[in-house]
Amino acid sequence: MKKHLVHILLIVLVATAGCKKFLDVTPQGVVTVENVSTPDKVDGLVIAAYAWLPHEGTINARMSPWLADIKSDDSYKGGGGIGDQLPWYQWEVFTLNNANTGNNDGIWYAEYQGVSRCNTAIKALNNVNESEYPLKQQRIAEMKFLRGYFFLNLKRWYKWIPYFDETLPIDSIKTVPNRPAGVTNDLAIWQHIYNDFDAAAKVLPADQSEPGRPTKYAAQALMLEALMWMAYEQDMSNKVININKETLAKALPIADGIISSGKYSLAPDYAINFLFDYDNKSPESIFEWQYSHSDGTPNGNLNGGTPLNAPWWPPSFSCCDFHKASYNVVNAFKTDAKGIPMFDDYNDQDITPANRSTYFTGNKWDPRIGHTVAIPGLPWKYQQNLLFDSSGSRDPATFGYFNSLKENVESNSPGLVNLFWMWNSKNEIAIRYDRILLQKAEILIRLGREQEALPIINSIRQRAANSTGRLKFVNGTPTLPYNIALYVNGVNCNWTNAFAWKALMFENRLEFAMEGVRWYDLVRWGIAASTMNAYFAKELPRGRSWLKDGKFTAGRDEFMPIPQPQINYAFGMYQQNPGY
């Protein structure tokens, strides 16, 4: 079984400044930064920082990518009904979400625990003599990368967050506001996050011998991500008021540098990115969170963010059927007679239990649906001898019959562990090369250079077309009528800037469906309100009565509320997000 870089090391750091007012001695049993600022101990703090995000749990802890999906039109919450993890339903419909909604406070708390571990490690590393610890600067860069990652999660989820680094005394953290007085936009927070990744990229090596440590290209990829947000400038009501072309122009050479490095390429089969056997082996993986099973610990370092998402399907799986593919996202994979997406009318037809079989055989499909959505009657995760069936859906009357595939594993996978919840040790690819390619295409289209974006988007589509080898029944016939074509200007499309932008948005959805990307794109592009309200308007007449409270309020629902407990702890330093 694969080795894992990160094993949990719990190091408790207790501030002693207050005690020294009374006793000028160090309490016994306390581990201080000074105690571990030695070459033989400092790696423990580094490992503790690495260990934090993979070990965050599913509920009220980790900012798992799929949680963003249930706020988009890609996914239904799922589970055993509306009341099963009710807070996620409140997020999903927006109108019932508030500062005290459950499963939100823990995300803030957990991400800042990660920040704290990184800052503590950097403080200790700064105290180490580089001649005695030659990896000092590289380890500091790794901690800045991880800190930037935690802040990136927080920023995209809450918008207004307090940023602080290792130079701020612990006692002063409570004085940092989340929204400083007089600010008119959030670009300063983004700049801090960008600077963390930039500092990391300048020091990190191009290659790492140990899987799970970031390279300079991983840091540059997240510099690019930050700039893609910074370019879509928002006002204080979350409205995109300007697309800054200078920022996009700054982002372009970063994307080009990653692409021209020659380190990465599209995997020949899209499936490779979602298979346990290809952990740390996909040619398009830029950074992966590492998981393990048989590693000498009782249950291994299992993915705590996704164990609820396996189907309710004994004997192969035992729990819990969350993160259900929406009928909307299933329809999005349909293609027209020319093999291109049905941009405007893809969702006009409804899928019902009565027509489900003929619906899939009577339409043409982008092959990526076979890698993304588990459909009754088709093989489960490329297992030709195991056809997924309707019994795998726990509450089909509410959430339908379609399950998420990408984060799940085969029923016979050595990485699958039944701890009642279906844990697995498949790595999670956090940064992929296809994302870099599509971000470059987006930049080019926004800069009026859509002709240069065409071959990039077509390269993604060509790879999708080549990814049908695993999408077959046991007799060798395709699991669905797959039909995907490249865009050919003047033949199956008119590649204008407006069409190119529509194609880019659709390509992002299809390529990263059910990966937690869709929601952030909608917010970043400034189209969350129009997209989600159109989604709710279509879903309700189709019998999704549980979405009757669904309504997106522009200026509020783009971001989660600052958890009320955090506002209470901050003694008035934090301002609530607009509308909550």
Side-chain angles (χ1 to χ4, degrees), residues 266-441:
L266 292 174
D269 189 332
Y270 187 57
I272 285 173
N273 295 304
F274 314 109
L275 286 169
F276 173 84
D277 289 344
Y278 285 89
D279 280 356
N280 301 313
K281 297 175 183 176
S282 171
E284 63 188 285
S285 174
I286 299 177
F287 182 74
E288 297 183 25
W289 292 111
Q290 304 290 304
Y291 295 98
S292 62
H293 179 208
S294 300
D295 57 9
T297 59
N299 292 316
N301 177 46
L302 302 172
N303 187 334
T306 61
L308 295 183
N309 296 354
W312 193 268
W313 195 27
S316 300
F317 301 94
S318 65
C319 189
C320 285
D321 205 35
F322 283 84
H323 194 211
K324 301 283 285 185
S326 72
Y327 285 37
N328 184 292
V329 77
V330 169
N331 278 332
F333 286 96
K334 288 191 299 188
T335 60
D336 66 15
K338 297 178 181 179
I340 64 175
M342 300 168 64
F343 297 118
D344 301 315
D345 57 355
Y346 73 92
N347 199 35
D348 285 356
Q349 289 180 280
D350 193 16
I351 311 168
T352 67
N355 75 1
R356 191 171 63 221
S357 177
T358 56
Y359 190 89
F360 284 101
T361 57
N363 282 292
K364 302 296 185 182
W365 301 91
D366 184 307
R368 283 170 288 192
I369 191 175
H371 304 276
T372 305
V373 182
I375 299 169
L378 273 59
W380 169 263
K381 198 77 177 183
Y382 320 117
Q383 292 181 256
Q384 294 177 344
N385 61 345
L386 180 63
L387 300 185
F388 184 61
D389 63 62
S390 298
S391 66
S393 293
R394 187 177 177 188
D395 185 4
T398 304
F399 301 119
Y401 295 91
F402 306 120
N403 285 70
S404 180
L405 273 178
K406 288 178 176 176
E407 75 270 37
N408 281 305
V409 296
E410 304 95 317
S411 66
N412 58 0
S413 171
L416 184 66
V417 184
N418 188 342
L419 299 177
F420 180 69
W421 294 357
M422 302 304 299
W423 301 68
N424 72 67
S425 58
K426 181 173 71 66
N427 283 358
E428 180 183 300
I429 301 181
I431 310 170
R432 285 208 316 266
Y433 182 65
D434 50 355
R435 182 66 171 168
I436 307 303
L437 290 175
L438 286 175
Q439 285 176 326
K440 179 178 179 179

Side-chain angles (χ1 to χ4, degrees), residues 45-63:
L45 289 174
V46 172
I47 292 171
Y50 272 110
W52 184 244
L53 187 141
H55 279 86
E56 294 174 29
T58 300
I59 301 172
N60 197 28
R62 187 181 179 195
M63 183 58 257

Side-chain angles (χ1 to χ4, degrees), residues 217-231:
Y217 298 113
Q220 288 174 350
L222 294 185
M223 289 168 62
L224 177 61
E225 179 71 17
L227 288 172
M228 296 303 288
W229 278 86
M230 294 167 75

Side-chain angles (χ1 to χ4, degrees), residues 91-136:
W91 301 3
E92 185 175 27
V93 297
F94 298 102
T95 58
L96 303 178
N97 196 20
N98 59 66
N100 289 299
T101 302
N103 295 0
N104 186 35
D105 177 56
I107 290 175
W108 178 289
Y109 178 73
E111 295 297 304
Y112 273 108
Q113 280 187 300
V115 169
S116 177
R117 290 190 181 206
C118 294
N119 284 341
T120 299
I122 293 173
K123 286 180 184 178
L125 286 161
N126 282 333
N127 292 335
V128 174
N129 189 316
E130 193 165 357
S131 63
E132 298 177 357
Y133 189 74
L135 289 172
K136 172 179 177 176

Side-chain angles (χ1 to χ4, degrees), residues 50-249:
Y50 272 110
W52 184 244
L53 187 141
H55 279 86
E56 294 174 29
T58 300
I59 301 172
N60 197 28
R62 187 181 179 195
M63 183 58 257
S64 296
W66 69 271
L67 292 177
D69 275 337
I70 65 176
K71 290 163 63 67
S72 79
D73 52 353
D74 267 11
S75 168
Y76 307 136
K77 171 186 76 73
I82 294 172
D84 189 4
Q85 290 305 314
L86 179 64
W88 292 337
Y89 169 69
Q90 294 173 290
W91 301 3
E92 185 175 27
V93 297
F94 298 102
T95 58
L96 303 178
N97 196 20
N98 59 66
N100 289 299
T101 302
N103 295 0
N104 186 35
D105 177 56
I107 290 175
W108 178 289
Y109 178 73
E111 295 297 304
Y112 273 108
Q113 280 187 300
V115 169
S116 177
R117 290 190 181 206
C118 294
N119 284 341
T120 299
I122 293 173
K123 286 180 184 178
L125 286 161
N126 282 333
N127 292 335
V128 174
N129 189 316
E130 193 165 357
S131 63
E132 298 177 357
Y133 189 74
L135 289 172
K136 172 179 177 176
Q137 297 305 322
Q138 181 176 318
R139 295 293 184 256
I140 290 174
E142 290 173 20
M143 293 300 95
K144 289 183 177 180
F145 172 89
L146 291 181
R147 181 174 70 192
Y149 193 96
F150 287 117
F151 274 123
L152 177 66
N153 281 345
L154 287 160
K155 183 71 182 71
R156 295 186 301 185
W157 198 239
Y158 299 105
K159 186 174 182 175
W160 292 107
I161 60 170
Y163 177 93
F164 50 88
D165 62 18
E166 77 283 356
T167 64
L168 188 70
I170 292 175
D171 288 345
S172 299
I173 291 174
K174 61 187 178 184
T175 69
V176 180
N178 69 323
R179 194 187 333 166
V183 299
T184 58
N185 60 54
D186 62 335
L187 289 176
I189 305 173
W190 274 120
Q191 189 64 52
H192 285 307
I193 297 170
Y194 174 89
N195 291 345
D196 267 344
F197 295 132
D198 186 30
K202 290 174 179 175
V203 175
L204 289 172
D207 297 288
Q208 291 275 20
S209 59
E210 295 178 293
R213 295 192 189 272
T215 66
K216 73 173 184 178
Y217 298 113
Q220 288 174 350
L222 294 185
M223 289 168 62
L224 177 61
E225 179 71 17
L227 288 172
M228 296 303 288
W229 278 86
M230 294 167 75
Y232 292 81
E233 297 173 357
Q234 297 181 355
D235 65 13
M236 299 299 282
S237 297
N238 306 332
K239 182 180 180 180
V240 175
I241 56 173
N242 181 49
I243 301 174
N244 192 312
K245 294 187 177 181
E246 290 183 4
T247 303
L248 291 173

Side-chain angles (χ1 to χ4, degrees), residues 488-505:
V488 182
N489 189 25
V491 176
N492 59 8
C493 70
N494 292 315
W495 193 258
T496 62
N497 190 267
F499 184 93
W501 178 247
K502 188 178 292 187
L504 182 280
M505 289 193 294

